[in-house]
Amino acid sequence: MKGNTKKKLGLLLFLMVFTVSFGQDNGKFKVVLDAGHGGKDYGAMYNGFIEKNIALDVTLRVGKILEKESDIQVIYTRKTDVFIELKERPKIANKADANLFVSIHCNAETKKTAHGAETFIMGLTKNSSNLEVAKMENAVWELEDDKTSYAGFDPNKPESLLKFQLMQEEYRGESFAAAVKVQHGLAKDLKRNDRGVKDAPFWVLHGVAMPGILIELGFLSYKNEGEYLNSEKGKSELAEAVAKGIIEFKKENFTPLSSISGYVKPAETTTPKTETPKETQKEAPVAQTAKNGAVFKVQIAAGSSDLATTPSNFKGLNNISKEKDGKVVKYYYGEVSDYNEAQNLLSEAKAKGYRDAFVVAFKNGKKISVNEALKGK
C-alpha cells in the first residue's frame, strides 16, 4: 500500500470512530467491575494461591465500598465463581453504557522474582514483559467453545489486535488518568513495589466503548506477595486502594448535569386527550455565566492523530480548538462564557454526529469542573 493511501485510510478510520472520551450524564457514574477468570478458568496458580478466587474477592470488596457512594452505580461481570467468556465482558459494560471499566487480576511469572502492582491500558507495545502479561490474560480465549468471534486473533500474537487499536484511542486520556489514580493507591499509598502504568493489547479492553483499565494486583508467583494478596488484610487494603482511585477519578472527570448549580430537571407533563393544549410562550433560560474569567467549550473528540482544525475535518463545524494531553489530542468546539450557550453548542455538535460530546470548563487555560466555573471557586 502506498504511503499516501495509508495516510488517507488511517484518517478515514480515525474519523469513523472519532467521538468523545466520555462526559456528563443525568444519572450516576457507572463502573463495571470485572473479576478476572472464573469457573473452569483458574488463572494463575502458585503456592496454593488461585487468581480467580482472589480477583473475585477483591472485586466484591471494591464494589461494596463504591456502593456506599450515592452517585456511583456498580455493575459486575461476575459475582460468583462462574466462567464468563472474554468477549462477553466488554459487552456487559457497553450494554450498561458505563463510564469506566475496571478488570481485576493477579500476576505471575516463572522466575518467581517479580513483585509489585501494575495497571494497564489498551495499547500496542514491543515490551516483552508487557506482552507476556497480555498473552497470559488473553489466553482465556482458548477455553471457549465458540472461537468464531475472535476471527483473526491469536492470543500468542497480540499484534493481531492492531486493527482494533483505534477503537480505544479516543478513551486513552481518560483510561490513563484512571490507571494513574488506581496505581498510586496500590503502590505509593500501600508502600509496595510500583511497576507503573503500562500499555498492552488486552482483548477485554479493546472492546469497551469507554475508558478501561486492567489491574494486576501483584504476583502470586512471589510467595511473600502471594500470601499478602491471599490474606484478609491484603485483600481489604487492595480493595480500598482501588476504590479510592476510582472515586478520585470520578470526582475529577465526571460532572452529572443534576449536580450543576441552577440545573433543574425538566418536569414530565401529560396533556389530557380531551383537551387541546394551549400555546405557551417559552421562558428565556436564566443566564448561567461562568465566574472569574472561566469559559465553556464542547469536547467533541480525542485521539492520537493531530488534525488541522479546519471545518472539513470536523463535519463542517467552525471554531475548533485543540490541546495535547500527553499522547492524546483533544478537540473542542466553541468557547462561550454562558452555560446555556454552551448547551446550544453541544446540541449542534450532537446534531453533526458527535453524539457523545460534552461540555467542559477552563480557567486560565486549565481544565476545571463545570460546577467550579459556575460557582467561581
Side-chain angles (χ1 to χ4, degrees):
M1 187 181 288
K2 299 294 184 182
N4 288 339
T5 306
K6 267 187 173 180
K7 288 181 180 178
K8 289 180 181 178
L9 180 58
L11 177 60
L12 177 61
L13 287 171
F14 178 74
L15 292 174
M16 285 173 67
V17 296
F18 200 42
T19 53
V20 72
S21 311
F22 83 133
Q24 297 165 341
D25 182 82
N26 288 331
K28 297 182 178 182
F29 180 80
K30 298 178 184 177
V31 182
V32 172
L33 297 180
D34 173 46
H37 309 279
K40 63 183 178 181
D41 175 20
Y42 283 68
M45 292 186 291
Y46 279 84
N47 304 309
F49 311 130
I50 302 174
E51 180 181 1
K52 69 169 184 174
N53 295 338
I54 297 173
L56 179 60
D57 196 333
V58 173
T59 297
L60 294 176
R61 291 170 189 249
V62 173
K64 191 172 182 180
I65 296 170
L66 294 180
E67 285 167 352
K68 293 178 182 178
E69 300 288 317
S70 61
D71 56 351
I72 294 180
Q73 178 182 346
V74 181
I75 299 101
Y76 302 86
T77 58
R78 71 180 182 99
K79 295 183 75 173
T80 58
D81 184 20
V82 294
F83 179 72
I84 305 293
E85 293 187 345
L86 200 60
K87 60 178 176 288
E88 291 302 316
R89 297 170 188 259
K91 286 182 181 179
I92 292 171
N94 294 340
K95 184 177 180 180
D97 194 23
N99 301 107
L100 181 66
F101 178 84
V102 180
S103 191
I104 298 176
H105 296 255
C106 300
N107 220 332
E109 52 88 33
T110 55
K111 292 182 180 179
K112 302 180 182 180
T113 57
H115 61 285
E118 54 192 11
T119 306
F120 289 88
I121 63 174
M122 175 62 192
L124 296 176
T125 179
K126 293 183 179 179
N127 182 285
S128 59
S129 62
N130 292 5
L131 287 173
E132 285 305 312
V133 176
K135 288 180 183 180
M136 182 171 63
E137 303 299 357
N138 289 337
V140 177
W141 169 84
E142 297 173 332
L143 297 176
E144 298 183 15
D145 297 325
D146 180 11
K147 299 180 177 62
T148 56
S149 297
Y150 303 93
F153 169 63
D154 182 347
N156 294 313
K157 295 179 180 179
E159 63 271 17
S160 64
L161 281 175
L162 176 63
K163 63 182 178 179
F164 302 111
Q165 184 187 17
L166 201 59
M167 296 173 67
Q168 263 295 306
E169 281 197 351
E170 57 183 302
Y171 308 111
R172 185 177 178 84
E174 284 73 18
S175 296
F176 182 76
V180 168
K181 292 292 185 185
V182 170
Q183 180 64 21
H184 188 278
L186 291 172
K188 303 294 185 185
D189 289 352
L190 296 180
K191 295 179 173 56
R192 300 173 62 226
N193 186 37
D194 187 358
R195 293 176 61 86
V197 174
K198 304 176 179 180
D199 289 345
F202 293 97
W203 181 277
V204 75
L205 291 182
H206 100 269
V208 293
M210 68 211 62
I213 63 175
L214 186 144
I215 302 166
E216 295 286 358
L217 299 169
F219 286 78
L220 298 181
S221 49
Y222 191 74
K223 191 172 181 180
N224 289 345
E225 189 161 67
E227 289 175 348
Y228 172 73
L229 297 177
N230 200 50
S231 69
E232 284 298 308
K233 178 178 183 290
K235 287 183 284 192
S236 177
E237 289 181 348
L238 293 167
E240 288 175 6
V242 172
K244 179 184 176 184
I246 293 172
I247 291 169
E248 288 181 353
F249 171 75
K250 184 265 298 179
K251 287 180 179 178
E252 293 184 11
N253 293 271
F254 180 79
T255 307
L257 291 175
S258 55
S259 72
I260 295 173
S261 177
Y263 173 81
V264 179
K265 184 178 180 180
E268 293 183 4
T269 58
T270 56
T271 303
K273 292 182 180 180
T274 56
E275 295 181 10
T276 303
K278 297 180 181 179
E279 291 187 5
T280 57
Q281 184 177 359
K282 291 185 178 180
E283 295 183 5
V286 178
Q288 298 185 70
T289 306
K291 306 294 192 299
N292 301 329
V295 295
F296 300 111
K297 298 182 181 182
V298 175
Q299 184 173 324
I300 58 173
S304 61
S305 297
D306 192 348
L307 300 177
T309 57
T310 56
S312 59
N313 284 338
F314 297 92
K315 305 180 182 180
L317 292 177
N318 288 292
N319 195 15
I320 299 295
S321 58
K322 62 183 178 181
E323 68 166 354
K324 265 201 166 183
D325 184 2
K327 295 181 180 179
V328 176
V329 183
K330 295 182 178 180
Y331 297 88
Y332 304 96
Y333 172 48
E335 180 178 316
V336 294
S337 60
D338 185 80
Y339 185 70
N340 293 311
E341 291 181 35
Q343 287 294 312
N344 291 334
L345 292 176
L346 177 62
S347 297
E348 291 175 18
K350 289 190 174 186
K352 288 286 187 179
Y354 296 104
R355 61 182 181 84
D356 293 322
F358 60 99
V359 176
V360 293
F362 288 89
K363 182 180 178 181
N364 298 326
K366 183 181 179 182
K367 188 175 179 181
I368 62 176
S369 74
V370 170
N371 218 15
E372 287 175 326
L374 291 170
K375 289 183 176 180
K377 290 184 178 181

